[in-house]
Amino acid sequence: MEPQRDDSLLVQDYISGEEKALEILINRHNQRISSFIYSKVLDRDVTEDIFQDTFIKVIKTLKKGNYSEEGKFLPWVMRIAHNLIIDHFRKNKRMPKFEGNDDFNIFSVIGDDKLNAEKQLIKDQIDSDLTLLIEELPDDQKEVLLMRIYKDMSFKEISENTGVSINTALGRMRYALINLRKIIDRHNIVLTNS
């Protein structure tokens, strides 16, 4: 039996072309990640969908060579899952209750080291305020903004998905940001967590 390779080694092996390395990583962390997702969405099918989307994003990031979280594979995957859970609730128009309980504290898993629990709550409130403001944008601008910011898509991908030129997508993003600034000013909202 071969000695157990740690996560960072498996990540390197996968990037180098060993597909089996990813399978080992998924099997190793499957239970923890699935339980985390289920504890937030409380639905087996949604959990399965988010779990799959999480690893699609993991694979894309690793294949692009954009992974730089040396030795922090699980917290990185948990952050991706967390973001996808929030996307799921945004699409379904209800925000999740992210509270820690005795045996599992969400902030210890997904919190940026610089964010303590209080700052994380403030950040979540800002995100939720921003989501409501984005709803006020014209549909074409809103679509580009959501794809760019929440789905992390390139302007080339946005252009392909919306059927418009890259320049049009860039223009819509620019106008979305200008209009968002006007909406923020109109509502006198302060978006800061400093």
Side-chain angles (χ1 to χ4, degrees):
M1 191 174 153
E2 65 170 312
Q4 196 177 21
R5 289 177 283 176
D6 71 16
D7 288 358
S8 53
L9 250 166
L10 285 165
V11 168
Q12 287 313 314
D13 291 345
Y14 176 71
I15 291 169
S16 306
E18 189 194 327
E19 298 289 327
K20 184 120 178 71
L22 185 71
E23 197 182 314
I24 296 168
L25 280 167
I26 292 173
N27 291 336
R28 181 178 291 174
H29 299 300
N30 182 333
Q31 186 58 49
R32 180 102 187 258
I33 297 162
S34 293
S35 299
F36 167 66
I37 298 168
Y38 184 77
S39 74
K40 303 300 161 207
V41 298
L42 303 174
D43 180 300
R44 292 266 168 234
D45 293 337
V46 174
T47 297
E48 190 58 39
D49 288 348
I50 292 175
F51 184 84
Q52 285 177 3
D53 289 348
T54 299
F55 275 93
I56 288 168
K57 201 157 187 169
V58 165
I59 290 166
K60 278 184 182 166
T61 305
L62 295 177
K63 294 260 190 213
K64 275 192 215 158
N66 292 345
Y67 177 75
S68 61
E69 310 272 330
E70 299 309 321
K72 296 179 185 162
F73 180 75
L74 183 61
W76 174 65
V77 175
M78 293 294 240
R79 269 199 307 279
I80 293 172
H82 170 251
N83 291 337
L84 289 170
I85 291 165
I86 288 183
D87 286 349
H88 163 75
F89 282 110
R90 282 204 174 109
K91 281 182 203 138
N92 293 291
K93 296 278 186 276
R94 62 186 189 86
M95 288 302 286
K97 293 179 177 64
F98 281 105
E99 72 276 346
N101 59 23
D102 295 340
D103 60 346
F104 184 77
N105 183 332
I106 185 166
F107 300 116
S108 66
V109 178
I110 54 91
D112 180 334
D113 296 336
K114 295 175 211 67
L115 291 181
N116 60 23
E118 187 180 342
K119 282 191 175 174
Q120 183 69 41
L121 287 169
I122 293 168
K123 182 185 177 300
D124 288 347
Q125 182 58 52
I126 290 168
D127 287 350
S128 133
D129 288 346
L130 204 49
T131 305
L132 294 172
L133 298 176
I134 289 168
E135 287 301 317
E136 294 189 33
L137 290 172
D139 286 345
D140 57 346
Q141 294 173 20
K142 179 168 56 177
E143 180 182 37
V144 172
L145 188 97
L146 292 172
M147 286 179 172
R148 182 81 185 121
I149 293 176
Y150 293 113
K151 294 184 181 170
D152 207 19
M153 292 166 82
S154 69
F155 282 106
K156 184 175 185 295
E157 290 169 320
I158 292 170
S159 153
E160 287 163 1
N161 271 274
T162 56
V164 299
S165 71
I166 292 177
N167 279 343
T168 302
L170 283 163
R172 286 179 181 175
M173 181 69 181
R174 185 169 164 265
Y175 284 115
L177 293 173
I178 290 168
N179 286 328
L180 200 54
R181 171 59 55 202
K182 287 178 184 165
I183 293 165
I184 289 166
D185 290 344
R186 196 171 70 233
H187 287 280
N188 285 320
I189 291 171
V190 178
L191 294 174
T192 177
N193 64 347
S194 56

